[in-house]
């Protein structure tokens, strides 16, 4: 309710057609939330993989993680750690992923904690002028994937726990390789790359000295811990109420489209050339499962649970590496101030899913028992 009322109070719904559409979606999310709580409405919406799944598995977890995580965000972004890590690893991040070194914090926060926390960091740093539009978009669509704990659920569903170490590290590698390729392709490569505050470059070779000096300077200028925690908590709370109704409405629409329309079957044909190229036994099913990941990242794992090893492994990688899905991550991104539209996100999803599938299948063939 708070998320649906907030745009009306601030007047933000008047800013653009997208804002007006999402205001409508938020109110649809309120209705969906009421149905989920009361168990009312059509029986088709009350099946375990519809409203109960969205509310119990996504809304409750995100609704708790973001506000609580935002409190501890003060220690990550307020007292020099972000800047220290940034200077130390900028030689790695800039040439490979074309992002500042500080984006390494986003990547770690997403894999260890939650994509919603990663997005909260990205949004905060972008609004403060330390990321350009392109850098923020790359980080949001390239690093803010599901956490390692959710990857365990995917691995269990696909019966991959016996090779958990291989699955985790290879998925991590493929995700970041795909990001390195995607940043060099439109639409991400065409976004504005001007930032108000640039990360200090280390040109004299004394990287540790520059790191220490810059970090201490940031810490000295930082507000009090109490003030910083309160500000971060407010940001987290606003982001939370913006996300939750969108997860219910956009997520439900995506799941209904996946179940009752052939749209994702049609999208599956776009990925079939990849599975055909590698001669996958369940090629068409894997292609359709990959397409269904746009609705909910867990769907490929559910659809391929009984397939052969190569198809199961590929589905497990793609569900994580494609990053973007309508049930949660896309509404999260749209709830931030990042300059990304739905069409751009869908195009980036397709590129990521295609490249992930292209890389995951041969890797699965090499490690197949």
């Amino acid at each position: 309710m708070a998320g649906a009322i907030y745009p009306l109070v601030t007047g933000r719904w008047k800013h653009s057609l997208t804002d007006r559409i999402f205001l409508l979606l938020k109110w649809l999310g309120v209705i969906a939330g009421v149905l989920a709580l009361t168990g009312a409405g059509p029986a088709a919406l009350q099946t375990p993989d519809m409203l109960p799944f969205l509310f119990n598995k996504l809304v409750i977890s995100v609704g708790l993680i973001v506000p609580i995580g935002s409190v501890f965000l003060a220690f990550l972004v307020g007292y020099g750690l972000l800047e220290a890590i940034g200077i130390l690893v900028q030689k790695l991040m800039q040439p490979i992923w074309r992002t500042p070194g500080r984006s390494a914090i986003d990547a770690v926060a997403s894999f260890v904690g939650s994509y919603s926390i990663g997005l909260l960091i990205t949004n905060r740093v972008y609004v403060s002028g330390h990321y350009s539009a392109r850098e923020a978009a790359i980080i949001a669509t390239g690093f803010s994937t599901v956490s390692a704990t959710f990857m365990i659920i995917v691995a269990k569903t696909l019966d991959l726990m016996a090779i958990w170490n291989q699955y985790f590290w290879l998925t991590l590698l493929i995700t970041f390789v795909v990001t390195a390729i995607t940043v060099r392709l439109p639409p991400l490569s065409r976004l504005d790359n001007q930032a108000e505050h640039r990360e200090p470059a280390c040109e004299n070779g004394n990287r540790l000295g520059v790191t220490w000096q810059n970090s201490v300077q940031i810490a000295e200028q930082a507000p009090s811990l109490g003030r910083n925690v309160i500000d971060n908590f407010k940001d987290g709370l606003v982001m939370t109420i913006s996300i939750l109704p969108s997860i219910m409405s956009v997520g439900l629409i995506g799941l209904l489209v996946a179940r009752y329309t052939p749209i994702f079957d049609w999208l599956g044909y776009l990925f079939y050339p990849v599975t055909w190229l590698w001669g996958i036994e369940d090629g068409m099913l894997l292609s359709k499962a990959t397409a269904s990941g746009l609705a909910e990242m867990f769907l490929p794992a559910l659809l391929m649970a009984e397939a052969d090893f190569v198809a199961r492994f590929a589905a497990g990688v793609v569900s994580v590496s494609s990053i973007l899905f309508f049930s949660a991550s896309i509404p999260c991104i749209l709830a931030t101030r990042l300059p990304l539209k739905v069409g751009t996100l869908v195009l980036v999803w397709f590129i990521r899913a295609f490249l992930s599938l292209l890389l995951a299948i041969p890797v699965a063939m090499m490690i197949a028992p």
Side-chain angles (χ1 to χ4, degrees), residues 32-44:
V34 171
L35 294 179
L37 281 170
T38 61

Side-chain angles (χ1 to χ4, degrees), residues 69-130:
S70 66
V71 172
F72 297 97
L73 206 61
F75 300 97
L76 280 180
V77 301
Y79 299 96
L81 178 64
L82 197 68
E83 288 71 22
I85 298 295
I87 297 171
L88 289 173
V89 302
Q90 65 184 192
K91 286 285 187 183
L92 175 70
M93 303 301 291
Q94 281 282 7
I96 300 177
W97 294 289
R98 296 185 176 176
T99 59
R102 68 186 73 198
S103 62
I105 291 281
D106 284 337
V108 172
S110 298
F111 260 93
V112 176
S114 163
Y115 59 85
S116 49
I117 295 299
L119 286 170
L120 194 60
I121 296 172
T122 306
N123 185 57
R124 190 165 183 80
V125 178
Y126 171 69
V127 170
S128 67
H130 289 84

Side-chain angles (χ1 to χ4, degrees), residues 20 46 226:
R20 288 191 282 274
Q46 298 298 340

Side-chain angles (χ1 to χ4, degrees), residues 278 280 286 307-316 360-362 364-366 368-369:
W278 293 112
I280 296 294
L286 179 58
D308 69 329
F309 174 82
V310 172
R312 283 187 284 117
F313 185 89
I361 293 173
M365 289 175 169
M366 286 190 286

